[in-house]
Amino acid sequence: MKDEIFDTYRNAGEIAAKILHRSAREIREGVSYLDVVESIEVQVREEGAALAFPLNLSLNEDAAHDTASAGDVRVFSRGDVAKLDLGVHIDGYIADTATTIDLGNNSLLLEASRQALEAAIKAVRPGATAGEIGGAVQKEIEDRGYRPIANLTGHGLDQYILHRPPTIPNVGVTGGVVLEEGMVFAIEPFATTGSGHVGEKTRREIYSQVSQKPVRIPAARTILKKVKDRHGLPFARRWLNEKKLDITLPALVRSQVLHVYPVLSDIAGSLVSQHEHTVIVTSDGCIVTTRSR
Ligand code: CO
């Protein structure tokens, strides 16, 4: 990896870490989701960076892909387990990091995903397999009496690419990609009191453009013009102010121009925690780009 690219990854990581931890401290009972989400997204731009995806704010049994909608009236409540998942990029080089805020008594649940992430990071080195990393994640979570979410994974990153090989599982599997120096990926263990599998909810707030094929409906063309500068990275429905998004966005998904990221949830009433860092594999281990410095 060129020094310049390495430095850009580290700068993006430093910005993401700073904003995530500063913002996590603001979350308490009665605070509005929309205020938190908008504040974080503004801070990223103020740092001269850009969002790799809309801030994900997912509560309790929701593991991922929720974010505030325009005019969202939801506020944090006592007992909530809130996941903040932030993606920042500079020139397309992405830092992806997440933390969990506990407004109840769930410190062991948070500890499970936090220690799973630390164990995974320690296991990263050239020659290790993605499956071994998953094994380290699974052990830390199960040792504390919870389940890892098996159908959510860490993912390789590249310029303007949010998901590419290697896939980093949250459970031990035999084999998987053999890690190599210079690989960049996010590791994101999820610990749950629920089933260990997420399914899709009907709530859909996050989309990305996956095809350049021409569209005829004028309203759809306006949306695509607006999201062009995303380079295919996800955007929030909240970022658009067009009328009839309820019709246009699903139409663009049906015609396979947009991909939709429905909210992913474990069973109702369960609680999910998540911790995530982005790493670059070095000759003898890895560098964590998103660690607070
Ligand atoms: Co991620």
Side-chain angles (χ1 to χ4, degrees):
M1 180 184 293
K2 284 187 196 146
D3 284 357
E4 203 179 307
I5 295 174
F6 180 85
D7 290 346
T8 308
Y9 272 119
R10 294 207 73 182
N11 290 340
E14 193 172 352
I15 291 168
K18 184 170 73 179
I19 295 172
L20 185 70
H21 294 286
R22 186 160 67 196
S23 305
R25 288 196 293 273
E26 307 289 314
I27 291 179
R28 55 181 71 88
E29 213 179 317
V31 168
S32 121
Y33 293 8
L34 186 58
D35 285 353
V36 168
V37 169
E38 287 188 330
S39 156
I40 291 176
E41 292 184 355
V42 166
Q43 288 177 61
V44 170
R45 291 184 203 105
E46 284 173 353
E47 292 284 347
L51 289 155
F53 48 84
L55 182 85
N56 280 216
L57 168 57
S58 308
L59 273 286
N60 303 328
E61 75 261 30
D62 297 340
H65 299 167
D66 201 357
T67 189
S69 44
D72 205 318
V73 296
R74 294 176 296 172
V75 297
F76 294 97
S77 311
R78 186 193 308 244
D80 277 347
V81 172
K83 277 77 62 186
L84 285 180
D85 190 340
L86 174 62
V88 165
H89 79 82
I90 300 174
D91 299 334
Y93 298 105
I94 298 168
D96 187 356
T97 183
T99 194
T100 301
I101 298 97
D102 176 26
L103 299 181
N105 292 303
N106 305 293
S107 51
L108 190 62
L109 177 68
L110 270 65
E111 194 63 13
S113 51
R114 188 184 295 116
Q115 292 306 328
L117 177 56
E118 290 308 320
I121 289 168
K122 282 201 187 90
V124 173
R125 58 183 159 71
T129 64
E132 287 169 42
I133 310 300
V137 166
Q138 180 172 11
K139 181 176 188 308
E140 293 297 325
I141 293 173
E142 289 183 346
D143 280 356
R144 290 169 175 82
Y146 302 105
R147 290 194 170 102
I149 294 186
N151 61 341
L152 289 175
T153 63
H155 46 98
L157 296 164
D158 206 338
Q159 192 179 24
Y160 292 109
I161 299 174
L162 193 51
H163 290 99
R164 55 152 293 168
T167 292
I168 310 293
N170 286 323
V171 290
V173 293
T174 45
V177 172
V178 178
L179 304 182
E180 291 169 29
E181 187 174 353
M183 279 181 171
V184 184
F185 52 85
I187 308 174
E188 48 182 322
F190 291 82
T192 177
T193 64
S195 69
H197 287 270
V198 289
E200 295 180 357
K201 277 192 173 170
T202 52
R203 187 174 165 83
R204 293 165 168 226
E205 294 294 333
I206 299 174
Y207 298 81
S208 65
Q209 185 172 1
V210 289
S211 153
Q212 301 294 330
K213 66 182 170 197
V215 294
R216 286 202 307 274
I217 313 162
R221 292 165 74 137
T222 316
I223 291 171
L224 295 182
K225 204 174 274 178
K226 264 199 180 170
V227 304
K228 195 167 171 245
D229 65 350
R230 296 297 299 149
H231 298 268
L233 291 171
F235 62 91
R237 171 190 164 88
R238 167 173 45 84
W239 295 353
L240 305 168
N241 49 16
E242 280 69 23
K243 288 176 187 142
K244 296 187 180 165
L245 289 173
D246 284 339
I247 296 163
T248 322
L249 289 174
L252 283 167
V253 171
R254 275 195 306 276
S255 56
Q256 297 177 337
V257 172
L258 295 185
H259 174 74
V260 62
Y261 299 82
V263 173
L264 298 175
S265 311
D266 204 329
I267 52 175
S270 64
L271 295 173
V272 176
S273 71
Q274 173 202 18
H275 286 85
E276 177 176 25
H277 276 309
T278 296
V279 305
I280 304 174
V281 183
T282 59
S283 61
D284 60 349
C286 67
I287 281 177
V288 181
T289 66
T290 48
R291 189 93 76 189
S292 296
R293 279 181 275 169

